[in-house]
Amino acid sequence: MSDFRFEILGRDGAGRTGIVHTGRGDIRTPAFMPVGTAATVKAMLPQSVRETGADIILGNTYHLMLRPGAERVARLGGLHKFCGWERPILTDSGGFQVMSLSKLRKLTEEGVHFQSHIDGAAEFLSPERAMEIQRLLGSDIQMVLDECPALPAGEDVIEKSLALSMRWARRSKAAFGVQPGKACFSIVQGGTFPHLRARSAAELMEIGFDGYAVGGLAVGEPQSEMFATLEALTPLLPQDKPRYLMGVGKPSDIVGGVLRGIDMFDCVLPTRSGRNAQAFTWNGTLNLRNACHTEDQGPLDPACRCPACRQFSRAYLHHVVKANEIIAAMLLTWHNLAFYQDLMAGLRAAIAAGRLQSFASETLARLDSRRD
Amino acid sequence: MSDFRFEILGRDGAGRTGIVHTGRGDIRTPAFMPVGTAATVKAMLPQSVRETGADIILGNTYHLMLRPGAERVARLGGLHKFCGWERPILTDSGGFQVMSLSKLRKLTEEGVHFQSHIDGAAEFLSPERAMEIQRLLGSDIQMVLDECPALPAGEDVIEKSLALSMRWARRSKAAFGVQPGKACFSIVQGGTFPHLRARSAAELMEIGFDGYAVGGLAVGEPQSEMFATLEALTPLLPQDKPRYLMGVGKPSDIVGGVLRGIDMFDCVLPTRSGRNAQAFTWNGTLNLRNACHTEDQGPLDPACRCPACRQFSRAYLHHVVKANEIIAAMLLTWHNLAFYQDLMAGLRAAIAAGRLQSFASETLARLDSRRD
């Protein structure tokens, strides 16, 4: 089994391309991780996710701990076997969703008590329990538990939250222990305050992690603010460890993140949009519900090799969207994930060829050309 | 292009196995036709439908005339191209669904006026229009328009309806005209009155059709009554033409139909059940919602080669059903369609081997062994 390590194959400006080696296989970077919240990338079979080009998917600790339960998944042979995906899986720590989905939260130094949004059951998550759950799931890249303050928040709130998150990161790392082939990533917090981001990064680097995520961005702030935060932050992070921008994003966010040295991304946007009639193409986004597609015999995106584009017309996709047919979600999700993976492949090739800047400019111009 | 013709390869008792040749390919009989109401077999991609073993699918004239519209489908290249299924398609005439789905019906000798259940628009269906729609769709097997009386109904009502249906059958045949490689099937009506069924069959045979469907069964009557009706009817139908039992049915209905000389079936049961957590297996039906499956690591059906059975456990299927994930509908629909096609393959092989009766008895005993 391969040890966990990050191999950088090429650089272009701040951008990097490489391979994250794990015990379950390689992840080509920059990488986009489709979100498989409840042990399924919604509306996709695992082999179809792989066909889009994904090397890794993401699972949500919060959802899986509530249903079917981490101990149950372990008894059933682990998350990979359970959900039919044998390649790497990254799990989040559950912290973000405890804040956004659960009811009656009570935060202490020890951890967070909350009620399940499914059945109201009393639940508890601490750094140690979050890591135990991720180990039970069999996750290949495990995230430390951090505290996610509700935003917008002032500097004092962010600073206090950050201090707690740093103590939790230390406990998370200790709980992770030694797991050959697997990784423990920490999460840089600090809002849009550069000195807090820097302090967070320094403290986490002192503890030492296999990778560094950037949390608390893409939560409603302007894209320029997110980019400014990344520009200040990524030079402070270790050059030889993967950097993961959590929950991001739109295609232009990803291009901008790669330009600023980010290696990994995840976002529900391609899958959620696919269930909502929205398609990403190299010439911008399309809403298949719009009447302009009613008799359009052309493919969604002539450049794409996914089943939605190879076998069906825009007119058909419009029809199944209007008729609320499940195949609409299946085809548009597949297309959007294929588009995201094609975008990542384009970014990797551009970095390797030393033409990241021009690829980014051309891509951003094309992506902006249509939005309906 | 092959002419439309029915080739019988083997007989066993009243059962037959053979091939329906069409301009778009062969249909092995006895055949089960998955229902693709609105230009999609719900929750399935066309290639997946084919992988289950289906040679033909069914489209609903009523739904397609309302949305996206027959003329539109024709402008888009026909139903096969539109929905990505290049093999044979049978379309019904719309008569049954006008009675069951539409609002404010008004029946005349000429046809039926009704309101669309989608947007309330005024619509009209006559024998000539029903055949025109099916021709516009490009259907390979086109059904005559018949009148479907609301049941239960007395003999006088059935007899009057039957007389109208026979006049409509004649007009439908005339409207069908000559279409090489394609077929026009008529529909024997007459409720459970043997003399009316016999009269209907005789009149339709006098007109002369490429195939004979049996309508108005499986509408709530006991299975024994349906079988009795078939036993009296099928000997009266031409030996050399395919016989199609419309809207049927449960696995045991299909076995009983084949024993009584039926060649073709369609039913929403495998697809609808798949969206409702029910799975058909060789050892009976399972409801994946039931808690007994929570930690069951075994496959749905060890005899099945579909993705649901090869790649996932019952525990996983239970989980995605409980979580209302789209993959639950995708996997259980695929499995149910694969089961139905395996059942048809078993029936075909049994007839060819002259062991239909023992195959039927053994299968019915196994199917009855579990129902949860």
Side-chain angles (χ1 to χ4, degrees):
Chain A
M1 188 180 65
S2 174
D3 277 349
F4 184 92
R5 68 194 169 88
F6 183 38
E7 180 183 8
I8 295 178
L9 300 173
R11 294 172 188 277
D12 188 1
R16 314 107 66 85
T17 182
I19 298 172
V20 174
H21 300 276
T22 82
R24 289 217 177 239
D26 290 349
I27 305 154
R28 295 163 291 180
T29 68
F32 179 79
M33 303 183 279
V35 177
T37 296
T40 163
V41 176
K42 290 184 195 300
M44 296 286 285
L45 298 184
Q47 58 264 44
S48 310
V49 175
R50 177 59 184 161
E51 277 183 47
T52 66
D55 293 333
I56 176 171
I57 62 173
L58 179 144
N60 286 121
T61 284
Y62 173 83
H63 290 85
L64 294 168
M65 73 182 280
L66 299 183
R67 184 172 58 196
E71 277 74 9
R72 174 164 293 148
V73 171
R75 284 194 297 273
L76 292 167
L79 183 57
H80 297 79
K81 183 180 173 197
F82 184 63
C83 77
W85 175 265
E86 290 300 329
R87 290 171 182 275
I89 296 176
L90 179 148
T91 45
D92 62 10
S93 65
F96 181 76
Q97 268 128 357
V98 165
M99 296 308 292
S100 57
L101 293 179
S102 75
K103 294 177 286 192
L104 287 179
R105 288 175 300 279
K106 186 163 176 279
L107 184 74
T108 68
E109 180 69 29
E110 180 57 21
V112 56
H113 293 267
F114 62 96
Q115 275 195 345
S116 161
H117 74 289
I118 298 173
D119 61 3
E123 302 280 348
F124 178 66
L125 205 58
S126 64
E128 291 76 16
R129 177 62 181 156
M131 300 315 288
E132 181 183 31
I133 290 170
Q134 295 179 78
R135 186 193 284 249
L136 286 164
L137 295 173
S139 169
D140 303 286
I141 301 180
Q142 303 171 28
M143 304 300 299
V144 302
L145 183 67
D146 59 349
E147 202 252 318
C148 308
L151 296 178
E155 187 176 342
D156 54 332
V157 172
I158 297 278
E159 188 165 10
K160 188 162 166 240
S161 163
L162 186 62
L164 178 62
S165 286
M166 293 304 106
R167 295 192 295 275
W168 282 8
R170 198 173 293 274
R171 285 166 54 191
S172 297
K173 172 78 189 292
F176 175 79
V178 177
Q179 300 184 43
K182 302 190 172 184
C184 181
F185 279 26
S186 60
I187 307 172
V188 176
Q189 291 286 1
T192 49
F193 302 101
H195 66 289
L196 294 184
R197 289 274 173 190
R199 186 196 301 171
S200 175
E203 291 190 24
L204 295 173
M205 286 160 66
E206 191 221 307
I207 304 171
F209 288 92
D210 301 308
Y212 294 82
V214 186
L217 290 180
V219 289
E221 79 283 3
Q223 191 185 58
S224 57
E225 230 171 80
M226 176 171 82
F227 287 167
T229 302
L230 291 179
E231 269 162 36
L233 175 61
T234 53
L236 307 179
L237 293 173
Q239 284 297 310
D240 60 344
K241 302 288 183 188
R243 303 163 185 159
Y244 160 32
L245 182 53
M246 301 183 81
V248 173
K250 296 192 300 288
S252 65
D253 295 332
I254 289 177
V255 171
V258 168
L259 281 169
R260 290 161 181 86
I262 297 295
D263 306 300
M264 300 167 67
F265 301 84
D266 81 284
C267 192
V268 296
L269 198 59
T271 40
R272 182 174 290 167
S273 297
R275 299 193 303 283
N276 199 26
Q278 191 179 48
F280 294 94
T281 80
W282 287 100
N283 296 307
T285 59
L286 300 178
N287 187 328
L288 271 302
R289 196 172 288 280
N290 289 351
C292 62
H293 304 298
T294 307
E295 296 212 3
D296 189 338
Q297 300 207 42
L300 196 47
D301 190 335
C304 181
R305 326 137 278 96
C306 86
C309 294
R310 273 186 290 117
Q311 300 167 35
F312 300 96
S313 61
R314 290 185 182 193
Y316 181 76
L317 296 170
H318 172 75
H319 165 68
V320 289
V321 161
K322 295 280 285 185
N324 290 319
E325 288 286 350
I326 291 174
I327 199 173
M330 293 164 65
L331 289 173
L332 293 178
T333 299
W334 193 322
H335 168 75
N336 286 342
L337 287 178
F339 173 81
Y340 266 65
Q341 294 300 338
D342 286 354
L343 176 63
M344 304 319 291
L347 288 162
R348 292 193 295 264
I351 296 169
R355 49 177 182 82
L356 175 59
Q357 193 61 60
S358 63
F359 175 84
S361 309
E362 288 158 21
T363 300
L364 292 174
R366 290 180 64 188
L367 294 178
D368 251 358
S369 66
R370 169 160 183 170
R371 199 169 300 272
D372 68 15
Chain B
M1 189 181 64
S2 175
D3 277 348
F4 184 92
R5 67 192 170 89
F6 182 39
E7 179 184 8
I8 295 179
L9 299 173
R11 294 173 188 275
D12 188 2
R16 313 106 67 84
T17 182
I19 298 173
V20 174
H21 299 276
T22 83
R24 289 216 176 239
D26 292 347
I27 305 155
R28 294 163 291 179
T29 68
F32 179 79
M33 304 183 280
V35 176
T37 295
T40 163
V41 176
K42 290 184 195 299
M44 295 286 286
L45 298 184
Q47 58 265 44
S48 309
V49 175
R50 177 59 184 161
E51 277 182 46
T52 65
D55 293 333
I56 177 171
I57 63 172
L58 179 144
N60 287 121
T61 284
Y62 173 83
H63 290 83
L64 294 167
M65 73 182 280
L66 299 184
R67 184 172 59 194
E71 278 74 10
R72 174 164 293 147
V73 171
R75 284 194 297 274
L76 292 167
L79 183 56
H80 297 78
K81 183 180 174 198
F82 184 63
C83 77
W85 174 265
E86 289 301 330
R87 290 170 182 275
I89 296 176
L90 179 147
T91 46
D92 62 11
S93 65
F96 181 77
Q97 268 129 359
V98 166
M99 296 307 293
S100 57
L101 292 180
S102 75
K103 293 177 286 190
L104 287 179
R105 289 175 301 277
K106 185 161 176 281
L107 185 75
T108 68
E109 180 68 29
E110 180 56 21
V112 56
H113 294 266
F114 62 95
Q115 276 195 344
S116 162
H117 75 289
I118 298 173
D119 60 3
E123 302 281 348
F124 177 66
L125 205 57
S126 65
E128 292 76 17
R129 179 60 181 156
M131 301 315 289
E132 182 183 30
I133 290 170
Q134 294 179 80
R135 187 193 284 249
L136 286 164
L137 296 173
S139 169
D140 303 285
I141 302 180
Q142 303 172 27
M143 303 301 300
V144 302
L145 184 66
D146 60 348
E147 202 251 320
C148 308
L151 295 177
E155 187 176 341
D156 54 334
V157 173
I158 298 279
E159 188 165 10
K160 190 163 165 239
S161 163
L162 186 61
L164 178 63
S165 285
M166 293 305 106
R167 295 192 294 276
W168 281 9
R170 198 173 294 273
R171 285 165 56 190
S172 296
K173 172 78 189 294
F176 175 79
V178 176
Q179 298 184 45
K182 301 189 173 187
C184 181
F185 279 25
S186 59
I187 306 172
V188 177
Q189 291 287 0
T192 49
F193 301 101
H195 67 290
L196 294 185
R197 288 275 172 190
R199 186 196 301 171
S200 174
E203 291 190 25
L204 294 173
M205 286 160 67
E206 191 221 307
I207 304 171
F209 288 91
D210 300 309
Y212 294 82
V214 186
L217 290 181
V219 289
E221 80 283 4
Q223 191 186 58
S224 57
E225 230 171 81
M226 176 171 82
F227 287 168
T229 302
L230 291 179
E231 269 162 37
L233 175 61
T234 54
L236 307 180
L237 293 174
Q239 283 298 310
D240 60 344
K241 301 288 182 189
R243 302 163 186 161
Y244 160 31
L245 181 54
M246 301 182 80
V248 172
K250 297 191 299 288
S252 65
D253 295 332
I254 289 178
V255 171
V258 168
L259 280 170
R260 290 160 182 86
I262 297 296
D263 307 299
M264 299 168 68
F265 301 85
D266 81 284
C267 192
V268 295
L269 199 59
T271 40
R272 181 173 291 167
S273 298
R275 299 194 303 285
N276 199 25
Q278 191 178 48
F280 294 94
T281 81
W282 288 99
N283 295 306
T285 59
L286 299 179
N287 187 328
L288 270 303
R289 196 171 287 281
N290 288 351
C292 62
H293 304 297
T294 307
E295 296 211 4
D296 189 339
Q297 299 207 43
L300 195 46
D301 189 335
C304 180
R305 324 137 282 94
C306 86
C309 294
R310 272 186 291 118
Q311 298 168 37
F312 300 95
S313 61
R314 291 185 181 192
Y316 182 77
L317 296 169
H318 171 76
H319 166 67
V320 289
V321 161
K322 294 280 285 183
N324 290 318
E325 288 287 348
I326 292 175
I327 200 175
M330 294 164 64
L331 290 173
L332 293 178
T333 299
W334 192 323
H335 169 76
N336 286 343
L337 288 177
F339 173 81
Y340 266 65
Q341 294 299 339
D342 286 353
L343 176 64
M344 305 319 291
L347 287 162
R348 291 192 295 265
I351 295 169
R355 52 177 181 81
L356 175 59
Q357 192 61 60
S358 63
F359 176 85
S361 309
E362 287 158 21
T363 299
L364 292 174
R366 289 180 64 189
L367 294 177
D368 251 357
S369 67
R370 170 161 182 169
R371 198 170 301 273
D372 67 17

